[in-house]
Amino acid sequence: MGVGSEAAGPSGAGSGAGPASAGSVVAPAGAGGAAPAGDRSDELLRIEGLEVHFPIRRGALDVLPGRHRDVVRAVDGIDLTIRRGEVLGLVGESGSGKTTTGRVVVKLTAPTAGRVIFDGRDVTDLRDRAALRDYRQRVQVIFQDPYETLNPKQSIGDFVAEPLDVNGLASSPEDRRRRVLAALDAAGLRPAEDFARRYPHELSGGQRQRVVIAGVLVMGPELVVADEPVSMLDVSIRTELLRLMLDLRVERGLTYLFITHDLALAWVLADRIAVMYLGRIMEIGPAGQVIEDPHNPYTRALVSVSPTTTPPAAGERAQRTILVGETPDAAHIPTGCRFHPRCPLAFDRCRTEEPPLFDVGGGQAAACWLAEGGRSLPVLPPVPATTPPEAVPGA
Amino acid sequence: MTITASRAAAERPPRKLPRLAVEGAPLLEVVDLKTHFKLAGEVVRAVDGVSFRLDAGEALGIAGESGCGKTTTALSLVKLLPANASIVGGSIRLHGIDLATKSDTAIRRYRWREISIVFQGAMNALNPVARVRDQIAEPIVERLGVDGRAARRRAGELLELVGIPKARGSAYPHELSGGMRQRAMIAMALACDPAIVIGDEPTTALDVMVQAQILELLERLRERLGLSLILITHDLSVIAETCDRVLIMYAGRVAEEGPVNEVFIRPRHPYTQKLLAAFPNIQADRRTLDVIPGSPPDLRTPPPGCRFAPRCPMAMAVCTEIVPPEVTFGDRVRVACHLYPEGSTGEPIPVPAAATVGPAGAEA
């Protein structure tokens, strides 16, 4: 198919993650791996120091003097760049801030600090209506649930035409119709005339998500933020849809910010993966490299529990790192490294000082004191019991 | 499995069998089960001739995509079906007692005490205005006739068993995290000490790490209590990690069934092969996904012959005409596919990939 570009760049080559493909179909030369400092020509989106803090709504008692007001730090200082034609997988569990990051990019949520730069232009505080409209045309979003996105009383044709109507983009009814049919066709809903007349209840789950994609394509976007676009779908339907998304990347030169909880899926689809935990990026780098040689204990734990259809051999289960407890809530982020309370390798420094992202080579970076100077992670100690000892009823 | 059974025997006293139990009968034997829905005057053949067996201490996974009939199969076992659905054929024998023909009143004797269900989405299944401990105690009082205080004490023990500190029993469901709520649901399913626990997508809405914790818990409970498990899920990994046997359903029928170690390593049925190849698998280092074109058939008008034939890359003329019989091979794998007729070696025939998804170069 030739749509990936993971190892296309000079620094990404030889990562040992699948065959290198110099001169991939999509990515321009020099994409993939770390671009030389200062060269930002192939950058489509850059996020700098992004913070999204939500104050917790005041209850009646909060007016009492001296009462502490909590802030949820959903995104807590991240830097990220997406290159033209790239698929960046943003991976994290619930509460990691991945969805909020995506919402900031599509301007559904305002950041409390930091900047968003799109195609060389700061769009953080875009006020100008024309500029905002232009941005919303070039950056589109696909949400998780195709059932909630579609209006049951609206025909497919009208749904796909809606963004054109709202933004007054169609020059004539013929132009509107032509664009809608082209988008439906590109999304694989053929014959397009037939689908344009149908209603959501007449479509399968996979077809509905294709309609959502058509609604995105009709705007002719450059960047698509896809937030768990396939997690509601059955496997056989989801691969068809992923295939469509990757084909569109070639045909339309699309760039994707692919947000998912599924590390394995990001590994298959993305050129680079960024792993988020509690509002911070824990690790980022070429997809194959991050999975095969994680430099952050959190990434390593995620890889070890990644779902597999290979039945475990005897004793293999012990090699998994099932972390104790659940992600703390973002109103009470631990001091130091926010992962340290659950980290099997945490030491004193982790409890007090937050690690920055350390470059570990090959375009990969990890926010872990153990990765300082590009070091590899030590082998894990034996896995401790993950749940408190329990009583057997009746015993 | 045998290890599990013997270990379990050491930890839990032998269960008392229900009154009408037949000596020496298997724990659960479902034969040719048919459950149909009536929808706007038409019949939907949701479950259309499904057979399987579950032995004591065993874990069986039932897998398939939405609408394949896996949940309907599970709900049929305890007759918790919606009003427009009914069992129209076959038998469900628990210790030899046929549950399929039991009345709604008579079946109550077997729910909770013999077979209990952990539903998907614990937030919706738990009562939001009752304390977790009281909710777990309720079936103990209702079904076993234990007094309130003893039932709450037992509820506390069950909470500890599933890894929730006893003191948290006074919490309301919204005060617990998603993983904790799912644990509470499991504790509730164990309340009346059932022989079989059915988990309907027990980990679906949970984060991977919490999912791993819950699966580990289920496995530990199975070992310690000698439980028999039926896990209903679209997620094949859940079955690979926790079950002894897997039953792959497609459009209301069994496509393939057998030991997890056989079916997942050497899948025979083209649908099983495709399903496995569509699953991203980091541990197996397989970085491409197969596409299965098309979608499952409408069960009001299922295709004649094999129901997978319209989507099957290996379909032959016979597949569109004759329903493939179920054939069991030497490795205890049962397959319903014309590629594997009675008397054949049963050697898996690999299905070519029609299209794949993956990074460049990785799909050669």
Side-chain angles (χ1 to χ4, degrees), chain A residues 4-62:
Chain A
S5 66
E6 162 172 321
S11 49
S15 62
S21 65
S24 113
V25 182
V26 180
D39 175 18
R40 287 173 171 169
S41 56
D42 66 336
E43 230 177 61
L44 184 60
L45 183 86
R46 181 151 43 93
I47 291 169
E48 289 176 354
L50 184 72
E51 277 182 23
V52 182
H53 293 180
F54 298 108
I56 291 178
R57 198 160 53 99
R58 299 181 79 136
L61 286 175
D62 285 345

Side-chain angles (χ1 to χ4, degrees), chain A residues 50-391:
Chain A
L50 184 72
E51 277 182 23
V52 182
H53 293 180
F54 298 108
I56 291 178
R57 198 160 53 99
R58 299 181 79 136
L61 286 175
D62 285 345
V63 296
L64 295 176
R67 197 172 160 89
H68 177 69
R69 268 190 81 189
D70 284 333
V71 169
V72 172
R73 294 188 273 160
V75 178
D76 206 22
I78 66 168
D79 301 302
L80 208 57
T81 57
I82 308 179
R83 302 184 192 99
R84 252 176 227 289
E86 183 181 45
V87 178
L88 178 73
L90 191 57
V91 180
E93 298 180 273
S94 37
S96 63
K98 59 187 191 302
T99 291
T100 308
T101 303
R103 287 178 63 92
V104 169
V105 173
V106 296
K107 299 190 79 62
L108 286 173
T109 299
T112 42
R115 316 227 59 82
V116 178
I117 291 123
F118 180 75
D119 200 13
R121 180 174 178 183
D122 191 330
V123 294
T124 323
D125 305 302
L126 220 48
R127 296 250 185 277
D128 179 53
R129 282 187 81 122
L132 201 58
R133 179 179 300 172
D134 176 61
Y135 184 71
R136 293 220 152 112
Q137 212 173 321
R138 297 173 72 185
V139 180
Q140 288 281 305
V141 62
I142 301 173
F143 290 112
Q144 177 174 0
D145 191 345
Y147 296 82
E148 283 190 11
T149 312
L150 299 180
N151 177 349
K153 293 181 178 171
Q154 194 179 29
S155 75
I156 299 308
D158 284 343
F159 170 81
V160 175
E162 196 168 292
L164 297 177
D165 297 344
V166 168
N167 293 291
L169 293 173
S171 57
S172 66
E174 291 77 52
D175 182 45
R176 178 182 186 265
R177 187 177 148 76
R178 191 184 50 75
R179 290 202 199 194
V180 167
L181 295 184
L184 286 171
D185 191 73
L189 294 165
R190 302 179 191 119
E193 291 88 358
D194 180 30
F195 276 100
R197 279 192 298 270
R198 294 205 210 171
Y199 285 84
H201 73 268
E202 300 173 70
L203 305 182
S204 69
Q207 287 172 332
R208 285 177 213 213
Q209 197 60 302
R210 282 172 186 268
V211 170
V212 174
I213 290 181
V216 162
L217 292 177
V218 79
M219 299 293 277
E222 291 163 57
L223 174 66
V224 175
V225 175
D227 191 355
E228 304 273 13
V230 296
S231 50
M232 297 277 292
L233 303 174
D234 275 317
V235 272
S236 79
I237 297 164
R238 99 199 326 225
T239 47
E240 240 186 290
L241 211 77
L242 295 170
R243 172 76 193 224
L244 171 68
M245 289 177 65
L246 289 183
D247 286 351
L248 288 170
R249 171 197 193 186
V250 180
E251 289 161 18
R252 304 251 175 156
L254 292 183
T255 303
Y256 287 105
L257 175 60
F258 190 89
I259 299 171
T260 179
H261 69 283
D262 188 340
L263 190 63
L265 196 59
W267 175 62
V268 169
L269 285 181
D271 303 311
R272 287 189 304 142
I273 288 178
V275 178
M276 281 187 81
Y277 181 78
L278 268 182
R280 288 277 261 204
I281 290 176
M282 305 304 275
E283 182 150 16
I284 185 166
Q289 221 172 297
V290 167
I291 300 303
E292 278 174 26
D293 189 19
H295 279 64
N296 189 302
Y298 178 61
T299 317
R300 181 154 78 181
L302 275 187
V303 171
S304 81
V305 298
S306 175
T308 171
T309 52
T310 314
E316 199 179 273
R317 190 69 51 83
Q319 291 168 17
R320 298 198 311 181
T321 314
I322 300 181
L323 299 173
V324 183
E326 295 176 32
T327 309
D329 91 64
H332 303 97
I333 290 178
T335 56
C337 172
R338 51 198 68 208
F339 181 58
H340 87 258
R342 302 176 75 199
C343 182
L345 297 171
F347 54 102
D348 285 347
R349 190 173 191 182
C350 309
R351 293 178 189 104
T352 51
E353 273 181 87
E354 180 139 47
L357 276 165
F358 291 109
D359 187 351
V360 298
Q364 187 178 356
C368 176
W369 289 118
L370 292 169
E372 195 174 8
R375 279 178 298 161
S376 290
L377 287 180
V379 176
L380 279 178
V383 184
T386 52
T387 26
E390 66 291 296

